[in-house]
Amino acid sequence: MKKFAVIFIFLFILWVPLLAEDILNNPAYIAQLGYGSTKDSAESNALAALSKFFQMNISVQAKEQTILNDSDFETTLSEEVFVQSYTELFAVHYTKPKYDKKQKQYEVIAYIDRKEAWIIYEPKINDCTSQFEQFYFDAISQNDAILKIAGLSKAYQNAKENELYKKLDFAQILNPNQAEKFSGTRNHLLEIEPMLRRIAKQCSISIFCENDFEESVSRAIGIFFSNYGITIVDNNSQYFCYIKVIENSQVLPAGIFYSPSFSLKIETRDTVLFSGEGQLKRIGAKNPTVAQQRAYTSLSQEILKLLQKEFMSL
């Protein structure tokens, strides 16, 4: 009989629902109160408060990181959307609505079990950090400076596309102890831009463009690399950028039109490091000078897009 009583008490304890005081002051949970005139509105307000809690915490952490890094990482962009989408992914639980007769409203607690949520979240952040780290280590293993810059740029773009900074911040709030394992990834993220600038300061490049109206193409590419801190020189440089432009012009009754194409190479004295090409749609105007200016403006923009796929903008 005593054995049966012990088993019964144990089972009863397992099935007792969590009380408000067990949740609000328990570090194992992330919890927020919500109030409303109906049960549903109280739950909605509790969920909104929970989302706001994550948003506020991520905003503060992002601000601190920006100050420390003094970088252009967009750490505060679209944080509310990000947080709301991720709280939906985890099983948000609610306490049984409690009606306050004096206040004439319901009270509900929305809460997340940190351990339960981490089981769902960990594979997602593992996937993102693994992708980033692969790009990062591939980049730093390069011996050539330009290839290292291109590799680090890809790592940065991968982190940006996956919102890795925000996901690391979210992990830190969700489960600080478990998130500590990603401190190395966070350090690598912080290192990228200063490393790019250090490498770029040691580089020089010469730009040669065949068929360059008003030097618009050469000037645009020069500005792009100068923004890195790479020195633009006429000759005796480490790297050479060659661009060939074919105008493909046509004189028609409506005016003069261009369908320009281009090819681009970046190389050392004996090795081609990067190459690309492109073809633009027809561009023109009645006035020949205006038509050519439009064509070369579009041409410069298209070449910059090609470069930006390989090198992040600073």
Side-chain angles (χ1 to χ4, degrees):
M1 183 69 182
K2 289 183 179 179
K3 184 177 180 181
F4 174 79
V6 170
I7 293 172
F8 176 79
I9 292 170
F10 176 72
L11 290 174
F12 177 76
I13 291 171
L14 287 178
W15 284 98
V16 170
L18 287 169
L19 300 175
E21 54 268 27
D22 297 328
I23 298 169
L24 286 175
N25 300 317
N26 191 334
Y29 302 98
I30 302 170
Q32 292 291 313
L33 278 165
Y35 303 92
S37 56
T38 65
K39 295 178 182 179
D40 288 343
S41 64
E43 283 191 0
S44 295
N45 290 332
L47 179 60
L50 196 62
S51 294
K52 190 68 175 176
F53 169 81
F54 278 96
Q55 179 196 349
M56 290 175 66
N57 275 275
I58 288 177
S59 296
V60 170
Q61 289 191 23
K63 183 177 179 182
E64 291 175 350
Q65 289 161 1
T66 302
I67 292 170
L68 288 170
N69 193 31
D70 193 25
S71 74
D72 294 325
F73 282 104
E74 296 175 4
T75 48
T76 59
L77 181 64
S78 302
E79 282 159 349
E80 185 172 2
V81 174
F82 171 81
V83 170
Q84 288 175 346
S85 67
Y86 269 83
T87 51
E88 289 171 5
L89 291 177
F90 306 117
V92 178
H93 302 284
Y94 301 92
T95 56
K96 185 177 180 180
K98 178 182 176 183
Y99 188 71
D100 188 326
K101 292 182 180 180
K102 290 184 179 180
Q103 300 296 326
K104 294 183 179 180
Q105 62 180 356
Y106 288 92
E107 176 186 293
V108 172
I109 298 172
Y111 65 95
I112 294 173
D113 183 313
R114 293 181 189 270
K115 287 184 178 179
E116 177 189 5
W118 188 256
I119 292 171
I120 300 169
Y121 190 67
E122 187 176 25
K124 301 177 187 299
I125 194 167
N126 276 338
D127 183 54
C128 289
T129 54
S130 295
Q131 285 183 38
F132 167 77
E133 292 291 358
Q134 184 64 57
F135 279 112
Y136 180 83
F137 284 111
D138 285 349
I140 62 174
S141 67
Q142 296 290 340
N143 293 321
D144 182 85
I146 286 288
L147 292 180
K148 190 169 289 187
I149 288 172
L152 288 170
S153 297
K154 286 185 175 69
Y156 172 84
Q157 294 294 354
N158 175 264
K160 187 175 180 180
E161 288 168 7
N162 287 326
E163 293 187 309
L164 182 55
Y165 240 133
K166 298 185 186 74
K167 288 176 180 175
L168 289 171
D169 287 342
F170 191 89
Q172 184 64 35
I173 298 165
L174 190 64
N175 198 318
N177 292 333
Q178 292 290 340
E180 185 62 28
K181 69 178 73 172
F182 301 110
S183 59
T185 297
R186 188 182 292 277
N187 289 335
H188 292 158
L189 274 168
L190 291 169
E191 289 169 0
I192 286 181
E193 190 175 338
M195 192 184 302
L196 281 170
R197 295 194 182 280
R198 285 196 303 270
I199 297 168
K201 285 180 180 178
Q202 301 169 12
C203 298
S204 61
I205 191 167
S206 298
I207 301 167
F208 304 97
C209 183
E210 184 180 334
N211 294 330
D212 191 3
F213 178 68
E214 296 180 342
E215 297 185 346
S216 54
V217 172
S218 300
R219 185 166 54 252
I221 295 174
I223 291 171
F224 177 83
F225 284 115
S226 292
N227 286 340
Y228 270 93
I230 296 175
T231 304
I232 311 300
V233 296
D234 292 333
N235 47 48
N236 295 325
S237 61
Q238 292 171 275
Y239 300 98
F240 303 89
C241 179
Y242 296 103
I243 311 102
K244 183 178 181 180
V245 174
I246 300 174
E247 293 183 342
N248 296 320
S249 61
Q250 287 181 295
V251 179
L252 301 173
I256 184 166
F257 292 85
Y258 294 85
S259 302
S261 63
F262 70 89
S263 61
L264 179 146
K265 289 192 301 182
I266 297 175
E267 58 185 60
T268 60
R269 295 190 182 277
D270 55 0
T271 306
V272 176
L273 302 173
F274 171 74
S275 64
E277 58 185 18
Q279 173 75 57
L280 278 68
K281 294 181 180 179
R282 194 168 68 173
I283 304 163
K286 191 72 175 177
N287 183 290
T289 302
V290 172
Q292 200 167 21
Q293 286 173 339
R294 287 177 179 175
Y296 274 84
T297 297
S298 297
L299 190 63
S300 299
Q301 291 171 349
E302 198 66 24
I303 292 172
L304 289 178
K305 286 180 185 178
L306 181 68
L307 289 172
Q308 285 164 356
K309 288 180 181 179
E310 293 295 317
F311 306 96
M312 64 177 267
S313 298
L314 291 179

